Amino acid sequence: MPSRPSHRGPVRVAIVGTGAIARGSHLPALTALAAEQPLEIVAAVDVDAASAEAFCADAGIPHAYTDLSAMLAEQRPDLVTLCTPPRFHRDQTVAALRAGAWVWCEKPPCPSLEDFDAIEAAEGPEDGGPFAAIVFQHRFGSGSRHVRKLLAEQAMGRALVAHCQTTWYRDEAYYAVPWRGSWSSEGGGPAMGHGIHQMDLLLDLLGPWTEIRAMAGRLVHDVETEDVSTALVRFDSGAMATVVNSVLSPDEVSRIRIDCERATVELTHLYGHRNADWRITPAPGVSPALAANWQDFGADVPSSHEAQLRGLLEDLRAGRRPRSSGADGRKSLELVTALYKAAFTGATVRAGETGPGDPFYGALHGDAPGWAPRPTTESVEVTA
């Protein structure tokens, strides 16, 4: 594997998958950062040649490809951003890493812990990489940074009780798309594809978890996966949390609430947050001066792809492991896996117990009766 312990000169970037997430999030972030630092988008890849060519023409990207291997060999990018469906992430990430490129991969990271561990095994040495990071942009921005620091320092006392909520709405037309609601193409339901962002932020704020109990159901949609789940999570610190993931909720909201000994912290938003979306309510008896200090979030940096990518590029140039890669990127997928295992088996699942040989290690449905893929389901190829 080629080794690039540090980087000098413009960072050469390739985008793989030219669909909505590439156009709406990755390309704008890369374009904004290219205006302030040495960076150039050298290629885009899509199985649909017309889509790749139109994407490149619109964005002024010089090279369009339908073959990832050919692009990696000819363009030698420093960074590959993956905007493809989850089932392709393992093979595409490993191919890019083996070509010496760092990877920034859209969530969900990949369909299973087995896939994630294969990706980690393909990374380079710790003193230079290349590394593969997951897009978990809700961790990044001034609000989450400020609250994470307050919690780490126990400025508001110990964290005690938490709530993590991703209650969104997806109608029949959404699931009429053939590959949606399928284990083989999406990897999981709302816990995996929607709620993972808030669950990742919860873990980033509260630290490691120890055990989880859960329930899941198909209450409305005729799909393989669930359309709603609830869970109870205990953390290393002793804090306890409820987690709700739904696509059945017309009044859509994403929310995290953490009750500490001396204050309640709450974030309410939908797809991204700013400083104004956070609220800190002090307990009775807290001095106004101390409460005011907690409220000082600093300059407003919204959570965004751009905010995360800026830090990743700094890490790439320094040759150091970025946040949301390796064990730091795996932790959210491990919690999601444990949620499904707990829901489908009725057992309490503990951190670290789902490894090779466990059916949930290789697939989130774990071959559980009533949840495993239906025998008549056919695999449907999708365009990124």
Side-chain angles (χ1 to χ4, degrees):
M1 178 190 299
S3 177
R4 302 175 188 178
S6 60
H7 186 86
R8 298 177 184 231
V11 174
R12 293 167 56 81
V13 183
I15 301 173
V16 180
T18 57
I21 196 68
R23 289 181 175 272
S25 297
H26 285 242
L27 181 60
L30 288 164
T31 301
L33 292 170
E36 65 181 47
Q37 59 183 269
L39 181 153
E40 54 184 340
I41 308 172
V42 298
V45 184
D46 199 289
V47 293
D48 184 331
S51 179
E53 289 165 4
F55 184 84
C56 288
D58 291 344
I61 299 170
H63 303 288
Y65 287 85
T66 58
D67 185 274
L68 175 62
S69 296
M71 185 279 293
L72 292 170
E74 294 174 14
Q75 298 303 322
R76 301 282 295 146
D78 304 299
L79 173 66
V80 170
T81 74
L82 286 185
C83 308
T84 53
R87 64 175 169 158
F88 301 119
H89 289 173
R90 172 178 173 169
D91 290 346
Q92 292 173 339
T93 300
V94 169
L97 290 169
R98 288 177 175 168
W102 286 42
V103 178
W104 194 40
C105 178
E106 264 300 330
K107 68 83 194 166
C110 49
S112 70
L113 290 172
E114 182 178 26
D115 290 332
F116 195 96
D117 290 347
I119 289 170
E120 276 199 83
E123 290 184 328
E126 285 296 320
D127 60 349
F131 301 113
I134 309 303
V135 177
F136 282 133
Q137 75 271 22
H138 289 196
R139 294 191 197 181
F140 298 83
S142 50
S144 53
R145 181 175 62 245
H146 176 64
V147 171
R148 184 169 53 250
K149 184 173 185 291
L150 291 177
L151 291 169
E153 296 174 351
Q154 295 193 2
M156 301 172 293
R158 292 180 299 124
L160 303 172
V161 183
H163 177 66
C164 178
Q165 176 182 352
T166 305
T167 44
W168 295 354
Y169 187 77
R170 299 295 182 263
D171 60 14
E172 291 182 6
Y174 177 86
Y175 283 106
V177 177
W179 56 270
R180 286 190 173 137
S182 164
W183 293 110
S184 64
S185 54
E186 289 202 287
M192 176 68 153
H194 303 83
I196 194 171
H197 269 309
Q198 294 306 115
M199 294 165 73
D200 178 76
L201 179 55
L202 184 73
L203 289 173
D204 200 52
L205 295 174
L206 290 185
W209 61 280
T210 58
E211 62 178 356
I212 183 171
R213 306 172 190 183
M215 293 187 294
R218 299 186 194 102
L219 302 188
V220 173
H221 298 292
D222 182 19
V223 292
E224 286 186 344
T225 66
E226 86 289 1
D227 57 17
V228 62
S229 67
T230 63
L232 302 174
V233 184
R234 191 188 308 272
F235 288 81
D236 277 1
S237 66
M240 295 186 288
T242 59
V243 178
V244 181
N245 301 301
S246 165
V247 288
L248 310 178
S249 309
D251 184 9
E252 296 186 292
V253 69
S254 303
R255 178 178 291 121
I256 285 181
R257 173 184 169 126
I258 302 172
D259 296 319
C260 301
E261 292 175 301
R262 295 194 289 170
T264 291
V265 182
E266 188 167 15
L267 167 65
T268 304
H269 67 117
L270 189 55
Y271 299 135
H273 52 82
R274 311 180 69 97
N275 286 354
D277 297 316
W278 294 83
R279 185 178 64 180
I280 299 179
T281 303
V286 171
S287 73
L290 182 57
N293 186 52
W294 296 341
Q295 303 284 357
D296 183 7
F297 283 75
D300 191 8
V301 178
S303 66
S304 66
H305 282 67
E306 181 181 334
Q308 180 176 359
L309 184 57
R310 179 177 284 107
L312 186 146
L313 288 168
E314 292 174 0
D315 294 330
L316 187 155
R317 289 191 170 94
R320 63 177 175 252
R321 178 176 288 282
R323 293 184 65 199
S324 79
S325 70
D328 187 45
R330 189 184 192 273
K331 64 187 182 184
S332 299
L333 182 58
E334 183 185 4
L335 181 61
V336 169
T337 301
L339 186 154
Y340 282 108
K341 183 177 178 179
F344 296 167
T345 65
T348 297
V349 177
R350 289 171 175 78
E353 76 171 38
T354 307
D358 188 309
F360 288 91
Y361 179 72
L364 293 184
H365 55 73
D367 290 325
W371 291 102
R374 300 163 184 166
T376 57
T377 298
E378 296 181 0
S379 177
V380 180
E381 288 296 321
V382 296
T383 300

